[in-house]
Amino acid sequence: MNENSTIRLESLKKTYKLGAVDVPALREISFEVFKGEFVSIMGPSGCGKSTLMNMIGCLDKPSSGKIILDKIDTENLNDNELAIVRNRKIGFVFQMFNLLPRLTALENIELPMIYAGKNKIDREKASSQILEAVNLKDRATHYPREMSGGQMQRVAIARALINHPALLLADEPTGNLDSKSSVEILKILQNLNNNGMTIILVTHEPDIASYTKRKIILKDGNLVEDQTLEQVKIQ
Amino acid sequence: MKIIENVIMALKALGSNKVRTFLTMLGVIIGVFAVIVLVSMGEGAKAYIHASISSFGEGTNYLEVRAWQEGEGPFGTLSMLDSKLTYKDAIAIKEKSKYLKYIDPRIIRKGEVGYGRITHKIPFVFGVSPDYVYVFTHAVKDGRFFSEADIAEQKKVMVLGPTVAQKLFGGLSPVGERIKLKGYFFTVIGVFTKKGTMVGFDYDDIVAIPITAAEELYNTDSVIEMGMSAIKEDDIEKLKAEVENILLIRHGKKDFRVDTQEESLDLLNGILGILTGVVGGIAAISLLVGSIGIMNIMLVSVTERTREIGIRKAIGAKRNDIFTQFVVEATVISFIGGTIGIVLGIIASLTIMYFLNLPLTVSVWSVFLACTVSVIIGIFSGVYPAIRAGNLNPVEALRYE
Ligand SMILES: Nc1ncnc2c1ncn2[C@@H]1O[C@H](COP(=O)(O)OP(=O)(O)O)[C@@H](O)[C@H]1O
Ligand SMILES: [Mg+2]
């Protein structure tokens, strides 16, 4: 196996059961993402993008197939071990921000460190550092309701990064943002990637995908295209 | 994750909905409050009765015979109203017993005495014999107590408690004066020394008349109780057996009971204990209701915070972290509620006792119990909602609107 493999999917399938009906969300997906890549996953609504992200992020288990995350085969991990993987290996950024409304920006950012068992001093140091990195130092004690969408998403990115994950997953992170904030967020992601962070970004807008280096296109739960940016340019 | 973090988190969550938190606590506050107040009152009354009884110094050389019937309950039935004990029993015991020193049969009634135009209600009219002063250690300071001759002649003579003397005669000596009781005139021959209060009754607010006069006055030959002492204190158990024997032969059945001082206290404790238990039990039910309230609110809270739980799980919270979070929240609610209940309960107990003139005691065990119970309640009523929270599937929880 390649030393630099961050995530490797082998014949991944996911079928939801709605009563007696089987809804196939992912049919048979295989691909690999290496350290330092910036990948976008595209496709129309309902094609299985979020389902795929949830599998990669260990929020849900596939119906069959393998997920190897940072050299860990996640198939046989129990609930607790999966929680640890989510906590240490994955940073998740959602379309709806998903900040806890009763916690300040700083407290939201510290939360993954609390679950990692880090002490208060370490937490404060790390969270104020990272808040500076996403340019939100003056919002440290603000609650989510006091922030704009772009600010909330930056807090969410800071929270995703606080435990130095191997992989950053962003599921339509600009879906609820105006174009100015969207560009801001994409620049931050690009910047992170330039500094070595591996990122998978879900979007259905080609404009946004153009910020990434590799494009994977899904359709009805199948992978229909996988191209690097160079290949796209040649075409 | 450390427990301190959990407590801080719980306080934050509870603080964000103060009204609901307070209403949830209210059940526990009222429950704990009720347990402490009611049990403390019971214990206080018990302590008071004990203190009064031992301060009367009947001591260990003392037996009491009461009318009693075998029956339901741990203590049978104390049947004072249709007592089969008589003054003749007392005389028989006195004649036959080897161990008896004094015997004090008592006919006890309420009454109203009159002197001139002044009348005065008294809680106790004692129809007693000369041994009364020895058994009850009640001395006469002014004049004399009645003699065997007064008894034999059914003399209408009376000894007054100092409160009665004060009420009817002010500072003047009542000896030789004639006092009206139930239509008869009694000649005052003495005044008791001060005795004080016992079990809430003023024992100086009494009058004593010869037991034979009382029999005539109240048209009865049954005595409510008899106090006794032995010649030698060590023989008290022998005296008890002897008295039981004599009475059993005379009555043909055991329609009485003979108790040492200790047994009398046990009897009293038993009755008071049942009372305290019943009242405390009712209060405990309100504590239970409080705990159901907590469980209910915690279940609502888990549903309301499904999304929060999803987010926490997505960023690495384990099942156990979520479980602990909700249990700690429930425990913190009931702990704070319990603490408020304890403080209010103690204040209320002391206030009530102050106004009832009971000794200021707070039942330590009830505080301890209420404290433990309220925390246990929190834990238990938090467990079920917390299990539900911990088991939520993160993807499902994140999709929850
Ligand atoms: N929890 C679920 N239960 C049942 N069906 C689901 C569930 N989640 C997603 N689906 C279905 O799976 C398909 C893929 O959904 P999703 O991954 O959310 O698509 P996308 O994110 O690309 O819009 C859709 O048809 C959706 O209705
Ligand atoms: Mg989606």
Side-chain angles (χ1 to χ4, degrees):
Chain A
M1 197 191 295
N2 191 312
E3 259 303 293
N4 284 324
S5 176
T6 295
I7 184 90
R8 186 180 153 93
L9 308 180
E10 293 173 12
S11 310
L12 201 67
K13 282 187 195 163
K14 178 68 179 181
T15 307
Y16 291 111
K17 283 199 179 355
L18 279 178
V21 189
D22 282 359
V23 182
L26 296 176
R27 290 174 199 273
E28 189 158 341
I29 305 279
S30 300
F31 66 84
E32 190 164 12
V33 173
F34 298 98
K35 200 167 185 317
E37 279 200 281
F38 190 0
V39 182
S40 54
I41 295 177
M42 296 191 63
S45 185
C47 68
K49 305 183 296 292
S50 292
T51 303
L52 181 62
M53 291 295 257
N54 290 341
M55 301 296 136
I56 297 173
C58 295
L59 284 171
D60 208 351
K61 288 198 160 186
S63 308
S64 70
K66 259 185 186 309
I67 301 169
I68 292 147
L69 177 68
D70 204 21
K71 295 176 265 316
I72 303 164
D73 186 347
T74 60
E75 190 176 341
N76 298 316
L77 299 184
N78 65 24
D79 256 21
N80 270 354
E81 291 162 335
L82 286 173
I84 292 171
V85 168
R86 287 198 293 271
N87 187 235
R88 316 287 159 86
K89 297 285 181 195
I90 305 282
F92 225 121
V93 179
F94 304 89
Q95 180 178 348
M96 303 295 291
F97 320 122
N98 279 346
L99 299 178
L100 294 190
R102 293 194 208 94
L103 301 187
T104 62
L106 216 54
E107 288 167 339
N108 264 292
I109 294 170
E110 283 180 27
L111 213 51
M113 287 187 93
I114 292 182
Y115 289 121
K118 298 277 166 48
N119 67 38
K120 187 97 188 135
I121 300 162
D122 288 351
R123 265 155 36 202
E124 272 167 4
K125 208 172 125 204
S127 59
S128 58
Q129 245 170 34
I130 207 144
L131 208 59
E132 215 169 332
V134 295
N135 207 7
L136 273 177
K137 225 182 158 196
D138 53 331
R139 293 275 179 260
T141 57
H142 286 215
Y143 289 90
R145 63 172 179 278
E146 301 164 336
M147 290 187 274
S148 71
Q151 288 167 338
M152 283 196 271
Q153 200 59 300
R154 278 186 276 160
V155 172
I157 292 173
R159 180 179 69 184
L161 295 173
I162 193 86
N163 279 345
H164 307 291
L167 179 60
L168 186 65
L169 302 174
D171 191 349
E172 307 209 32
T174 60
N176 275 346
L177 299 180
D178 57 72
S179 54
K180 185 169 163 275
S181 304
S182 297
V183 171
E184 219 173 73
I185 295 298
L186 290 164
K187 287 255 168 70
I188 289 173
L189 294 179
Q190 214 165 33
N191 200 23
L192 284 167
N193 175 248
N194 289 338
N195 289 318
M197 178 59 68
T198 315
I199 303 174
I200 301 178
L201 169 85
V202 164
T203 181
H204 52 256
E205 293 176 54
D207 279 2
I208 291 171
S210 68
Y211 281 83
T212 66
K213 295 174 181 167
R214 177 180 166 192
K215 239 194 270 189
I216 290 175
I217 299 177
L218 299 186
K219 203 177 166 200
D220 294 336
N222 290 305
L223 193 157
V224 295
E225 223 180 289
D226 184 350
Q227 289 182 310
T228 61
L229 210 65
E230 284 73 34
Q231 289 170 317
V232 174
K233 271 181 189 157
I234 292 161
Q235 278 171 12
Chain B
M1 203 171 149
K2 294 177 205 85
I3 199 80
I4 296 279
E5 310 272 12
N6 269 304
V7 171
I8 292 169
M9 213 152 80
L11 287 172
K12 264 207 175 106
L14 297 175
S16 71
N17 198 337
K18 294 192 182 66
V19 174
R20 179 208 271 182
T21 302
F22 176 72
L23 291 176
T24 312
M25 273 179 196
L26 206 56
V28 179
I29 294 174
I30 291 171
V32 167
F33 175 84
V35 167
I36 291 178
V37 170
L38 295 174
V39 173
S40 289
M41 301 276 301
E43 297 275 295
K46 211 151 103 180
Y48 177 63
I49 290 168
H50 278 207
S52 333
I53 287 177
S54 43
S55 77
F56 270 71
E58 281 160 349
T60 45
N61 186 4
Y62 182 74
L63 287 181
E64 205 158 85
V65 186
R66 299 183 181 85
W68 176 77
Q69 243 133 45
E70 230 161 321
E72 301 277 304
F75 308 106
T77 313
L78 288 167
S79 52
M80 293 185 179
L81 295 179
D82 58 341
S83 171
K84 300 288 185 297
L85 295 168
T86 60
Y87 179 45
K88 290 200 178 69
D89 287 329
I91 294 167
I93 292 168
K94 201 158 195 171
E95 275 169 3
K96 290 179 183 153
S97 173
K98 288 196 299 241
Y99 303 107
L100 184 82
K101 181 145 188 214
Y102 298 116
I103 184 159
D104 166 29
R106 302 163 197 155
I107 292 172
I108 304 174
R109 293 289 189 279
K110 287 191 294 192
E112 189 179 70
V113 289
Y115 176 70
R117 296 157 112 195
I118 313 168
T119 59
H120 175 59
K121 280 199 165 63
I122 42 178
F124 294 129
V125 174
F126 279 92
V128 288
S129 62
D131 281 4
Y132 169 82
V133 285
Y134 306 113
V135 174
F136 209 60
T137 52
H138 209 170
V140 173
K141 67 169 183 205
D142 190 6
R144 64 173 182 92
F145 200 63
F146 33 83
S147 62
E148 289 293 352
D150 294 326
I151 298 284
E153 292 163 33
Q154 296 188 14
K155 274 255 182 74
K156 301 281 186 299
V157 291
M158 187 181 273
V159 178
L160 306 183
T163 304
V164 184
Q166 181 64 33
K167 280 265 157 64
L168 297 184
F169 299 96
L172 303 173
S173 171
V175 175
E177 301 293 341
R178 279 153 60 83
I179 282 182
K180 209 169 179 182
L181 172 65
K182 254 202 138 215
Y184 290 85
F185 280 102
F186 284 75
T187 307
V188 178
I189 58 169
V191 178
F192 287 118
T193 52
K194 246 185 152 23
K195 184 98 176 161
T197 24
M198 169 162 135
V199 203
F201 297 116
D202 182 0
Y203 266 56
D204 295 323
D205 199 10
I206 63 156
V207 300
I209 57 174
I211 188 164
T212 45
E215 282 177 336
E216 188 194 344
L217 198 63
Y218 299 112
N219 190 25
T220 181
D221 62 352
S222 80
V223 301
I224 281 174
E225 59 184 29
M226 299 191 238
M228 276 172 275
S229 59
I231 299 166
K232 289 207 310 257
E233 188 170 333
D234 293 348
D235 290 337
I236 197 80
E237 286 295 337
K238 286 183 193 154
L239 175 63
K240 180 180 166 179
E242 191 182 51
V243 168
E244 278 177 337
N245 246 331
I246 294 168
L247 287 177
L248 210 49
I249 291 166
R250 287 179 57 83
H251 291 202
K253 62 176 180 185
K254 195 160 185 300
D255 52 5
F256 59 89
R257 54 180 290 158
V258 186
D259 295 308
T260 59
Q261 181 74 297
E262 206 176 316
E263 287 163 338
S264 294
L265 280 181
D266 283 350
L267 189 67
L268 200 66
N269 275 350
I271 294 165
L272 287 171
I274 288 171
L275 217 69
T276 308
V278 167
V279 165
I282 292 168
I285 290 172
S286 67
L287 208 51
L288 187 73
V289 172
S291 82
I292 294 169
I294 292 182
M295 188 180 308
N296 188 24
I297 295 292
M298 291 312 291
L299 282 172
V300 170
S301 171
V302 167
T303 309
E304 268 186 7
R305 284 151 73 188
T306 300
R307 199 175 173 84
E308 171 190 332
I309 294 164
I311 294 169
R312 287 180 185 274
K313 284 199 154 185
I315 62 172
K318 301 187 182 100
R319 181 196 306 252
N320 207 25
D321 292 325
I322 302 293
F323 174 83
T324 311
Q325 179 188 341
F326 280 88
V327 169
V328 167
E329 235 172 74
T331 309
V332 167
I333 286 190
S334 62
F335 181 78
I336 295 174
T339 308
I340 294 172
I342 286 168
V343 171
L344 293 181
I346 289 174
I347 292 171
S349 304
L350 293 180
T351 310
I352 294 169
M353 285 173 185
Y354 177 79
F355 283 110
L356 288 184
N357 257 326
L358 292 171
L360 300 184
T361 47
V362 169
S363 165
V364 175
W365 71 264
S366 79
V367 171
F368 186 74
L369 188 82
C371 210
T372 321
V373 166
S374 68
V375 169
I376 290 174
I377 275 175
I379 293 172
F380 272 90
S381 50
V383 163
Y384 175 61
I387 289 174
R388 295 239 308 222
N391 284 344
L392 283 179
N393 169 295
V395 175
E396 299 290 325
L398 278 171
R399 285 161 64 99
Y400 187 86
E401 290 302 326

